[in-house]
Amino acid sequence: MNKMEYYTNNFIYQIIDKDLMNGRIKNIRTRFPPEPNGYLHIGHAKSICLNFGIAAKYQGQCNLRFDDTDPVKENNEFIDSIKYDVQWLGFKWSGNIRYSSDYFEKLFNYAVELIYNKLAYVDELSTEKIREYRGTLTELGKNSPYRERSVKENLILFQKMRDGGFEQGKACLRAKIDMSSNFIIMRDPVLYRIKYIEHHQTGNKWCIYPMYDFTHCISDAIEKITHSLCTLEFQNNRPLYDWILNNISISDNPRQYEFSRLNLEYFVMSKRKLTKLVNEKIVEGWDDPRMLTISGLRRRGYTATSIRDFCSRIGVTKQDNIIEMSLLESCIRDDLNKNAPRAMAILDPLTVIIENLPENYEEILKVKNHPNKPEMGMRELPFNQKIWIDRNDFREQSDNQYKRLVLKQEVRLRNAYIIRAERVLKNNLGKIICVYCSCDMNTLGKNPSDGRKVRGVIHWVSAFYALSAEFRLYDRLFNVPDPNKAKDFLSTINSNSLLIKQGVVEQQLSQAKIMSTYQFERIGYFCVDHIDLKKAKIVLNRTVTLRDNWQK
Ligand code: ATP
Ligand code: MG
């Protein structure tokens, strides 16, 4: 990967430059801390590019840490997918993978330290009561009746929580801060709760689990993270982040900085909502090509380069906004336009018979795989008496705007000859089933000698040497730019987000690798999903159209 990609300037780079200049910090350490409760999405890619990009720029380190404090929704499938996606995006974490759960014993000891310092207590109020006592923005909180327990009693009760002496929900550990703080988060936040649930890393060792706010800052400090970057919604949690670190015996306090989340039009980025799309089978799975997950984008034909390019184009700020889909698409289009081999495909086949060729006519044409990249080589394209063209590339009558094949007129076959449509054959429903043409055999790679003008160029595939193909054409998954605004985001699902077409492609694609992407001339970019051996058919996902169709 070209490290220069990240030598962009954003406010976080400026903070780091300053910290390095005034000597606050020598070695830069960042981390990417996903919770393994879903697959990564394009928003995570923004955070990944930022954190790993900083490490690359400053020759520092970036850790991959699973923030695994809530075993209810977490599992190893998610862990594996996240590892795979980070690597696929082109990044390498520093040292071993870390887990917040690696620190459970240490975290427990820090909690005990807070109790010793009279800064934490075991509360036995119910969850509802705790919420009620917390107050609101306009109303101060109330102290819990359990707040003034002695250190000794708290130590005994906290150990009892750990030992399984309480039922779930009957006790929790809270920080003792200030029930009238302007920051609601500082009104004695819960640090530990009881959950009798097996953990994917620690099994049944624990029945108390630390909360995110308690875990995150301490994990950062243990790993000597210098800049802990998170999204803006954690801004209010920062006083708690600092309070915890300032009140335990840990040095090298990291600092938290916030940036705005990535939102993209016509999509939702919350894992809760994505989980719902998967669980309710509205999409095929986390890697459904309509999902803006990393795995969905990959299956759709997006390259890691294009995603990194997107992340550097959107930049990092503190402004909340919604990015247009056309920006993401232009990134993959730029990449594939440069790098995807060309081929021809017919989405809606119409038979053409070239009458002045013998039935067994066969000519092998040599064709470039890429117009500007000779290093991508040539391929052989068989040309025969019977070929297929796209049904919408022929009309019996048309005006001059229509640059394709019209009855009694000529058109060029891409990479081949000029043909003229002579007559059509229709079935008894009036549908055209075959166009009979003649071919000017003196027009391969050159214009007609008498200076005749042809309407345009159309693509085609030999009918003798073609591979059956299924084309999956994807549209936006939601009907509205911001589905989050709807009462029920599922009510804004676009029921026409997938259109399937059965057609043909050049036979050479039978050798295509899964996940490879082609530009089908005049149609768009397509990625090989799989080859259906039983039906001898290739299945392709449309990555993106040739041009931007969003601005319509
Ligand atoms: P969700 O709210 O959807 O569950 P999350 O923020 O809880 O998302 P995590 O797995 O905790 O998801 O996120 C890991 C990291 O990725 C965090 O540092 C988080 O701030 C960052 N991140 C998550 N979503 C986005 C986004 N849309 N844009 C930028 N960064 C994001
Ligand atoms: Mg989270």
Side-chain angles (χ1 to χ4, degrees):
M1 187 200 322
N2 180 4
K3 282 184 187 170
M4 291 306 286
E5 276 176 57
Y6 302 102
Y7 283 38
T8 49
N9 205 4
N10 64 48
F11 74 98
I12 293 174
Y13 284 85
Q14 290 165 13
I15 290 168
I16 294 176
D17 286 338
K18 225 168 116 192
D19 286 342
L20 285 169
M21 231 157 40
N22 66 25
R24 183 176 92 80
I25 275 148
K26 281 207 186 67
N27 300 312
I28 301 298
R29 289 217 179 100
T30 55
R31 85 291 171 263
F32 172 63
E35 180 177 1
N37 62 350
Y39 282 58
L40 297 182
H41 53 59
I42 183 85
H44 291 113
K46 174 178 178 175
S47 175
I48 291 171
C49 288
L50 177 64
N51 281 296
F52 284 92
I54 287 171
K57 173 172 174 175
Y58 294 98
Q59 278 126 33
Q61 298 185 4
C62 181
N63 293 349
L64 174 62
R65 182 201 314 147
F66 287 103
D67 200 349
D68 55 347
T69 56
D70 186 4
V72 184
K73 295 185 212 135
E74 299 166 1
N75 66 44
N76 282 312
E77 178 196 340
F78 295 144
I79 289 179
D80 292 342
S81 77
I82 292 169
K83 289 198 270 194
Y84 187 86
D85 285 352
V86 171
Q87 286 173 312
W88 180 78
L89 279 171
F91 298 102
K92 213 173 159 259
W93 50 85
S94 165
N96 292 334
I97 289 182
R98 340 250 157 160
Y99 295 85
S100 295
S101 55
D102 294 342
Y103 312 134
F104 279 175
E105 197 64 50
K106 285 186 181 164
L107 288 161
F108 181 83
N109 291 331
Y110 284 122
V112 168
E113 200 179 314
L114 285 179
I115 295 176
Y116 265 115
N117 294 331
K118 303 199 171 98
L119 292 172
Y121 61 97
V122 172
D123 198 359
E124 285 172 75
L125 283 182
S126 66
T127 317
E128 298 81 58
K129 278 276 180 264
I130 289 179
R131 200 176 302 127
E132 194 189 311
Y133 277 40
R134 184 170 294 140
T136 62
L137 280 173
T138 51
E139 188 192 332
L140 298 182
K142 264 197 310 191
N143 284 352
S144 161
Y146 303 100
R147 198 174 195 260
E148 298 307 327
R149 285 179 149 151
S150 69
V151 167
K152 196 171 161 204
E153 192 183 1
N154 279 318
L155 288 174
I156 291 169
L157 291 174
F158 190 42
Q159 185 63 43
K160 183 173 164 190
M161 278 174 63
R162 179 179 179 162
D163 293 340
F166 285 103
E167 272 174 52
Q168 201 160 303
K170 294 290 183 217
C172 65
L173 185 76
R174 295 179 71 179
K176 193 169 172 182
I177 309 180
D178 178 5
M179 289 306 287
S180 53
S181 171
N182 287 331
F183 292 98
I184 295 194
I185 189 90
M186 299 300 272
R187 296 183 186 171
D188 291 9
V190 174
L191 303 180
Y192 267 90
R193 72 271 202 236
I194 297 168
K195 282 194 183 190
Y196 291 98
I197 289 172
E198 188 171 305
H199 188 284
H200 48 96
Q201 303 302 315
T202 57
N204 288 311
K205 179 162 184 222
W206 295 87
C207 65
I208 54 171
Y209 291 101
M211 302 295 286
Y212 170 88
D213 284 312
F214 186 65
T215 312
H216 206 84
C217 54
I218 298 177
S219 305
D220 282 346
I222 291 172
E223 293 176 14
K224 298 193 188 309
I225 301 302
T226 53
H227 297 79
S228 176
L229 311 175
C230 62
T231 41
L232 278 178
E233 67 274 19
F234 290 100
Q235 197 155 357
N236 287 335
N237 302 44
R238 193 180 343 129
L240 180 55
Y241 185 101
D242 293 338
W243 184 92
I244 293 168
L245 293 180
N246 288 335
N247 284 294
I248 58 174
S249 58
I250 201 161
S251 50
D252 294 321
N253 285 10
R255 291 196 193 164
Q256 174 182 305
Y257 300 93
E258 307 88 15
F259 62 95
S260 61
R261 291 178 81 85
L262 169 65
N263 298 300
L264 261 168
E265 274 184 343
Y266 299 100
F267 199 65
V268 293
M269 218 70 89
S270 123
K271 270 188 274 177
R272 188 180 55 79
K273 289 179 180 163
L274 297 181
T275 305
K276 205 160 181 187
L277 292 174
V278 173
N279 289 350
E280 297 193 10
K281 299 206 165 24
I282 291 160
V283 294
E284 262 184 46
W286 286 95
D287 69 344
D288 186 300
R290 289 165 295 186
M291 295 276 269
L292 299 184
T293 50
I294 305 300
S295 50
L297 287 166
R298 178 168 56 235
R299 198 171 153 200
R300 176 95 173 237
Y302 275 74
T303 57
T305 311
S306 68
I307 296 174
R308 294 196 306 263
D309 179 27
F310 172 73
C311 291
S312 80
R313 289 200 214 179
I314 55 174
V316 176
T317 68
K318 275 181 170 287
Q319 253 75 55
D320 261 321
N321 58 3
I322 302 188
I323 305 288
E324 290 177 7
M325 270 307 286
S326 54
L327 182 61
L328 179 61
E329 291 190 347
S330 74
C331 292
I332 186 62
R333 227 180 252 121
D334 287 355
D335 184 354
L336 295 179
N337 185 36
K338 270 186 255 155
N339 299 313
R342 273 48 172 172
M344 293 196 282
I346 308 290
L347 269 55
D348 188 4
L350 173 63
T351 305
V352 164
I353 290 179
I354 300 167
E355 290 184 291
N356 58 331
L357 294 180
E359 210 175 305
N360 62 355
Y361 184 82
E362 185 160 314
E363 181 179 353
I364 303 297
L365 304 169
K366 291 261 189 198
V367 177
K368 283 187 203 162
N369 283 329
H370 192 290
N372 323 317
K373 284 199 160 174
E375 66 274 24
M376 288 178 77
M378 309 278 283
R379 68 185 190 279
E380 296 187 337
L381 203 60
F383 179 66
N384 305 89
Q385 189 213 34
K386 188 171 158 193
I387 62 172
W388 273 311
I389 65 169
D390 250 311
R391 187 167 283 279
N392 59 15
D393 280 341
F394 174 74
R395 283 185 196 165
E396 287 181 274
Q397 289 179 342
S398 193
D399 59 21
N400 284 331
Q401 302 297 324
Y402 186 74
K403 305 286 183 209
R404 312 176 196 184
L405 185 60
V406 176
L407 200 56
K408 300 294 179 196
Q409 304 204 26
E410 289 182 308
V411 81
R412 176 173 290 280
L413 295 175
R414 178 93 177 128
N415 297 315
Y417 299 92
I418 288 172
I419 57 167
R420 178 185 147 101
E422 305 293 352
R423 63 200 168 85
V424 297
L425 178 67
K426 295 183 182 178
N427 66 11
N428 48 17
L429 296 169
K431 185 177 173 184
I432 298 170
I433 51 172
C434 179
V435 184
Y436 290 92
C437 295
S438 60
C439 179
D440 182 343
M441 296 307 284
N442 203 17
T443 52
L444 185 64
K446 60 184 180 192
N447 288 326
S449 46
D450 59 7
R452 283 159 18 237
K453 285 244 177 308
V454 283
R455 279 182 168 249
V457 183
I458 64 170
H459 56 277
W460 57 280
V461 167
S462 160
F464 296 117
Y465 298 96
L467 177 64
S468 297
E470 176 174 313
F471 303 93
R472 298 180 175 171
L473 310 183
Y474 298 102
D475 198 352
R476 51 186 87 162
L477 188 53
F478 293 93
N479 280 320
V480 296
D482 188 359
N484 295 306
K485 280 205 186 123
K487 222 188 212 158
D488 173 14
F489 81 105
L490 291 181
S491 69
T492 66
I493 285 281
N494 173 10
S495 50
N496 299 313
S497 59
L498 171 59
L499 177 68
I500 296 180
K501 295 247 181 202
Q502 305 293 343
V504 292
V505 292
E506 289 176 29
Q507 199 175 39
Q508 53 132 345
L509 264 86
S510 60
Q511 305 301 317
K513 291 204 182 79
I514 306 297
M515 306 279 301
S516 55
T517 307
Y518 289 81
Q519 184 197 90
F520 290 144
E521 302 210 37
R522 299 180 62 236
I523 300 179
Y525 296 98
F526 285 75
C527 179
V528 180
D529 192 84
H530 65 277
I531 293 183
D532 184 337
L533 288 174
K534 242 202 251 142
K535 296 188 188 144
K537 179 170 90 168
I538 187 168
V539 178
L540 297 134
N541 297 316
R542 185 171 68 194
T543 312
V544 68
T545 52
L546 284 183
R547 276 171 215 85
D548 187 357
N549 293 338
W550 291 80
Q551 312 294 4
K552 278 190 288 208

